[in-house]
């Protein structure tokens, strides 16, 4: 997979053709058939330079989305496909923040700092004395120029920092006002939900069916290379509690910490002080409403006597929930983020 | 049956990538980076874990004495297998377009404004953590200069004493690091 450093010139040296760029954009936007996708993957997985070009196209796509420069069709595909993955969405959010921050800065002058004009200015002088005098003057001038350059650079850096701070403060104020208005609306909705919930709780619910489901997981499957299939937990309607049972090969730590994470990296719950039973099994009880349909990871860490933690395993499992969610959980997979 | 990645097996994998330890390390990082994007672009959940799984399986094969003619192609094959397993039992994120809801761009919510604020704050912190040179590189390279972008990038490359392609690669790597830093920071905030 390593590019040949002695052989053909890297692709970066050549113009990345418009055709290639279009093909990469199609790939990133999830357009195209399996054959097309596989061909693209074979190319970038085996060619580091081509891979860098694909990443460059991705960054350009992200920046164009953040700056509202995509065509309506591209925007639609971007929002439907690209933003549907949490990692890709995080990149888009970062690109949006970067565009916001950079667009508020003064354009950076990146002209090369060479002064050929200084040499040309003195090229016409021929007399020795004059040349000596001019040389001294030139040295003094160059020293002055260097001092001026350093001073300017320092000032520019301070100015940039101050601009960033000011724009951030302005934006914070604006967004806080927005938050306040949103919060008021939210309070009203919550009051309404609370009333509905109280009314529902007045009615006695029949409790003949079991109220929990459980899933037994074995720690370390993901990283150990023995994973065959992700374990699946089905939560039927009416189930109130989920019991996750995590089996470890051996103990050895005085206590353990278990975290339940969503596929986009959010930590739903952390249980900081657990001990396994005699069969080396942890039991973690959770309200079922916490787990909506999707993929989750159970991360296990061992805590030693000094309070230091060692990451031990991350076990994936998938939930299929048939329960109606009690809380309002906003759909976060694909949204406009500008 | 489970298998633990041992230091010995990992050393064998590195050695198979390149006999020179330094170049092997670079090559390993390169393979990792490409595989990570592969899983991300293909919509697999927990992409880092899928990459670990792929490389562990390759290391295991080598440790068992398997003869692998072309390590790059072999990694690709294993990665596809791991991807298929990730897809197994769930709907692919690359569902046909017509099956997706027509309107997915919801109006901005309170949560979203808060999230944007987190990203801006984290970005500010992560930019400040970069070296001065890298910060200038990010600002100079990605600042929006529609008409003068190419000219400015040439000037930036000249100023930093880099070829244009080297400048682009460096800017991308710094930005990748910046993205990782921001993501970790946002996740940390979300966990509080």
């Amino acid at each position: 997979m390593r590019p040949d450093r002695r052989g053909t010139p890297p692709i970066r040296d050549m113009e990345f053709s418009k055709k290639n760029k279009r093909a990469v954009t199609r790939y990133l936007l999830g357009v195209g058939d399996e054959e097309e996708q596989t061909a693209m993957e074979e190319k970038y997985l085996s060619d580091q330079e081509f891979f860098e070009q694909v990443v460059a196209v991705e960054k350009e796509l992200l920046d164009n989305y953040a700056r509202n420069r995509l065509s309506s069709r591209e925007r639609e595909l971007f929002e439907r496909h690209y933003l549907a993955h949490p990692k890709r969405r995080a990149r888009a959010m970062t690109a949006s923040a970067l565009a916001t921050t950079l667009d508020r800065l003064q354009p950076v002058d990146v002209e090369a700092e060479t002064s050929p004009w200084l040499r040309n200015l003195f090229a016409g002088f021929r007399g020795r004395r004059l040349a000596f005098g001019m040389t001294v003057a030139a040295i003094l001038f160059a020293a002055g120029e260097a001092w001026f350059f350093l001073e300017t650079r320092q000032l520019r850096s301070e100015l940039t920092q101050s601009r960033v701070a000011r724009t951030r403060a302005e934006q914070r104020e604006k967004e806080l006002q927005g938050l306040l208005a949103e919060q008021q609306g939210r309070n009203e909705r919550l009051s309404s939900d609370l009333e509905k919930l109280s009314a529902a709780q007045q009615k006695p619910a029949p409790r003949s069916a079991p109220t929990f489901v459980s899933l037994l997981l074995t720690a370390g499957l993901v990283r150990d290379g023995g994973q065959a299939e992700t374990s699946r937990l089905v939560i039927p309607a009416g189930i109130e509690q989920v019991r996750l049972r995590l089996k470890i090969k051996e103990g050895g730590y005085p206590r353990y910490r278990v975290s339940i994470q969503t596929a986009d990296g959010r930590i739903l719950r952390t249980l900081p002080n657990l001990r396994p039973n005699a069969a080396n099994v942890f039991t973690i009880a959770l309200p079922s409403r916490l787990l909506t349909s999707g993929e989750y990871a159970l991360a296990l860490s061992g805590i030693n006597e000094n309070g230091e933690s060692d990451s031990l395993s991350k076990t994936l499992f998938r939930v299929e929930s048939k329960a109606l969610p009690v809380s309002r959980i906003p759909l976060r997979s694909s949204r406009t983020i500008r | 049956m489970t298998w633990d990645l041992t230091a010995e097996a990992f050393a064998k994998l590195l050695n198979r990538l390149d006999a020179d330890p330094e170049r092997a390390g670079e090559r390993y990082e390169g393979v990792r980076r490409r595989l990570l994007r592969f899983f991300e672009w293909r919509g697999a959940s927990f992409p880092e874990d899928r990459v670990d799984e792929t490389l562990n399986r390759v290391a295991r094969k080598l440790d068992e004495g398997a003869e692998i003619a072309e390590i790059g192609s072999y990694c690709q094959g294993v990665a596809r297998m791991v991807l298929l397993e990730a897809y197994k039992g769930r709907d692919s994120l690359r569902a046909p377009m017509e099956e997706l809801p027509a309107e997915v761009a919801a109006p901005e919510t309170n949560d979203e404004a808060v999230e944007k604020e987190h990203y801006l704050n984290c970005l500010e912190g992560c930019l400040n953590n970069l070296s001065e040179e890298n910060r200038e590189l990010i600002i100079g390279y990605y600042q929006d200069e529609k008409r003068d972008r190419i000219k400015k990038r040439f000037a930036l490359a000249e100023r930093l004493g880099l070829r244009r392609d080297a400048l682009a690669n460096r800017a991308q790597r710094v930005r990748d690091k910046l993205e990782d830093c921001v993501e970790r920071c946002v996740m940390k905030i979300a966990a509080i």
Side-chain angles (χ1 to χ4, degrees):
Chain A
M1 286 195 203
R2 188 182 183 77
D4 184 1
R5 292 184 178 195
R6 292 158 299 178
T8 51
I11 288 172
R12 173 86 58 183
D13 282 348
M14 298 178 249
E15 194 57 40
F16 196 57
S17 70
K18 280 188 178 172
K19 193 180 161 196
N20 270 346
K21 213 168 174 178
R22 267 201 306 274
V24 171
T25 306
R26 279 168 62 80
Y27 173 75
L28 294 171
L29 294 177
V31 186
D33 55 22
E34 186 63 27
E35 200 180 326
E36 205 179 319
Q37 289 176 355
T38 306
M40 176 65 64
E41 283 154 3
E42 274 173 9
K43 204 164 180 189
Y44 76 68
L45 282 171
S46 60
D47 184 335
Q48 183 72 36
E49 289 296 331
F50 187 81
F51 170 76
E52 297 297 347
Q53 289 285 8
V54 178
V55 175
V57 174
E58 185 190 31
K59 303 246 184 277
E60 206 176 314
L61 190 67
L62 286 164
D63 292 344
N64 284 338
Y65 178 72
R67 290 183 169 118
N68 204 12
R69 288 213 192 106
L70 295 181
S71 67
S72 55
R73 172 69 180 148
E74 282 175 331
R75 167 166 290 278
E76 187 191 347
L77 289 169
F78 188 92
E79 288 174 351
R80 280 186 176 182
H81 174 77
Y82 192 92
L83 295 183
H85 189 271
K87 280 286 269 191
R88 299 192 304 239
R89 183 173 176 274
R91 281 187 205 286
M93 291 295 286
T94 305
S96 175
L98 187 65
T100 305
T101 304
L102 295 185
D103 289 353
R104 286 173 183 176
L105 293 174
Q106 185 83 345
V108 175
D109 180 13
V110 290
E111 293 297 324
E113 284 133 14
T114 53
S115 304
W117 60 272
L118 196 64
R119 286 194 302 275
N120 296 337
L121 183 67
F122 299 132
F125 292 106
R126 291 286 180 267
R128 261 190 190 179
R129 191 173 292 175
L130 186 60
F132 175 75
M134 289 309 288
T135 305
V136 171
I139 291 167
L140 288 173
F141 187 80
E145 191 191 34
W147 175 83
F148 181 71
F149 165 70
L150 290 172
E151 201 59 16
T152 309
R153 201 161 91 155
Q154 175 67 23
L155 283 171
R156 192 184 292 156
S157 163
E158 284 171 10
L159 189 64
T160 303
Q161 282 174 11
S162 133
R163 280 202 180 110
V164 170
R166 197 181 67 216
T167 50
R168 300 285 302 105
E170 282 169 7
Q171 186 170 356
R172 250 186 220 127
E173 191 187 334
K174 215 164 138 190
E175 287 179 355
L176 280 171
Q177 283 171 353
L179 285 179
L180 190 65
E182 283 287 342
Q183 191 60 46
Q184 283 166 349
R186 210 179 184 200
N187 286 346
E188 284 168 19
R189 285 199 301 274
L190 280 172
S191 307
S192 156
D193 286 352
L194 201 61
E195 278 171 26
K196 284 179 196 162
L197 204 60
S198 309
Q201 280 174 346
Q202 310 271 321
K203 297 174 191 167
R207 285 179 176 268
S208 55
T211 56
F212 71 88
V213 285
S214 79
L215 175 70
L216 178 65
L217 299 161
T218 306
L221 283 177
V222 171
R223 286 176 184 271
D224 289 350
Q227 180 178 355
E229 197 175 332
T230 307
S231 302
R232 186 186 304 191
L233 172 68
V234 179
I235 307 176
I239 293 297
E240 291 170 2
Q241 196 185 63
V242 167
R243 292 183 190 173
L244 298 174
R245 302 176 72 225
L246 181 68
K247 182 164 177 56
I248 54 173
K249 274 193 278 190
E250 54 189 26
Y253 286 86
R255 60 196 176 92
Y256 292 81
R257 184 175 60 226
V258 170
S259 298
I260 296 108
Q261 301 172 4
T262 61
D264 59 356
R266 278 183 302 126
I267 296 174
L268 288 181
R269 189 150 293 187
T270 298
L271 303 152
N273 198 12
L274 289 182
R275 286 187 186 84
N277 65 14
N280 276 337
V281 174
F282 297 97
T283 301
I284 301 123
L286 301 164
S288 63
R289 66 181 160 75
L290 203 64
L291 302 174
T292 52
S293 293
E295 294 202 43
Y296 296 84
L298 206 60
L300 176 73
S301 304
I303 315 286
N304 66 21
E305 290 82 359
N306 302 323
E308 295 157 345
S309 70
D310 295 322
S311 182
L312 299 178
S313 69
K314 201 177 195 183
T315 311
L316 305 188
F317 65 99
R318 180 170 144 54
V319 168
E320 278 176 24
S321 176
K322 312 265 192 285
L324 291 170
V326 172
S327 60
R328 269 170 214 256
I329 301 169
L331 178 69
R332 307 184 67 79
S333 60
S334 313
R335 289 178 297 176
T336 303
I337 58 163
R338 283 168 297 108
Chain B
M1 193 180 126
T2 62
W3 179 84
D4 291 319
L5 177 68
T6 61
E8 197 189 344
F10 185 62
K12 275 185 196 166
L13 172 65
L14 287 180
N15 188 52
R16 187 64 185 74
L17 288 170
D18 202 302
D20 176 69
E22 200 177 319
R23 282 209 300 269
E26 280 174 23
R27 200 164 169 206
Y28 176 80
E29 282 308 314
V31 171
R32 238 197 109 74
R33 197 159 157 254
R34 275 174 275 161
L35 287 175
L36 187 61
R37 281 297 217 281
F38 164 72
F39 286 112
E40 269 182 45
W41 287 333
R42 275 297 191 132
S45 57
F46 303 104
E48 286 93 350
D49 296 310
R50 312 289 178 197
V51 176
D52 284 344
E53 173 69 14
T54 302
L55 293 171
N56 282 1
R57 285 190 195 183
V58 176
R60 180 183 183 174
K61 273 282 167 202
L62 287 170
D63 196 43
E64 288 168 353
E67 287 293 325
I68 298 173
E70 217 293 291
I71 188 85
S73 309
Y74 189 77
C75 283
Q76 271 187 52
V78 175
R80 287 196 188 284
M81 193 66 78
V82 171
L83 181 74
L84 285 176
E85 286 170 11
Y87 281 169
K88 208 172 169 186
R90 73 171 177 87
D91 296 328
S92 164
L93 284 174
R94 282 180 180 254
M97 291 302 174
E98 59 271 21
E99 288 178 16
L100 291 164
E103 185 56 69
V104 287
E108 191 169 297
T109 63
N110 181 38
D111 286 349
E112 205 164 332
V114 172
E115 193 183 17
K116 274 169 72 175
E117 177 70 15
H118 290 336
Y119 271 89
L120 281 164
N121 284 335
C122 286
L123 179 73
E124 192 182 333
C126 291
L127 272 173
N128 285 334
N129 286 342
L130 291 178
S131 68
E132 195 178 331
E133 191 175 286
N134 282 343
R135 194 165 48 241
E136 276 184 33
L137 175 66
I138 284 288
I139 294 172
Y141 196 84
Y142 290 109
Q143 202 164 35
D144 190 30
E145 295 298 322
K146 258 189 285 180
R147 279 173 301 177
D148 294 336
R149 176 180 276 181
I150 293 172
K151 195 177 138 200
K152 293 223 169 192
R153 285 184 178 178
F154 265 121
L156 189 63
E158 195 179 337
R159 185 174 147 193
L160 295 173
L162 295 170
R163 275 174 31 194
R164 202 177 147 211
D165 58 322
L167 176 78
N169 284 349
R170 197 166 141 193
Q172 270 172 210
R173 278 165 201 269
V174 175
R175 182 158 168 185
D176 277 349
K177 279 185 189 164
L178 192 67
E179 284 170 356
D180 289 344
C181 171
V182 172
E183 201 186 332
R184 276 198 306 274
C185 167
V186 171
M187 273 167 63
K188 215 180 267 179
I189 294 172
I192 295 170

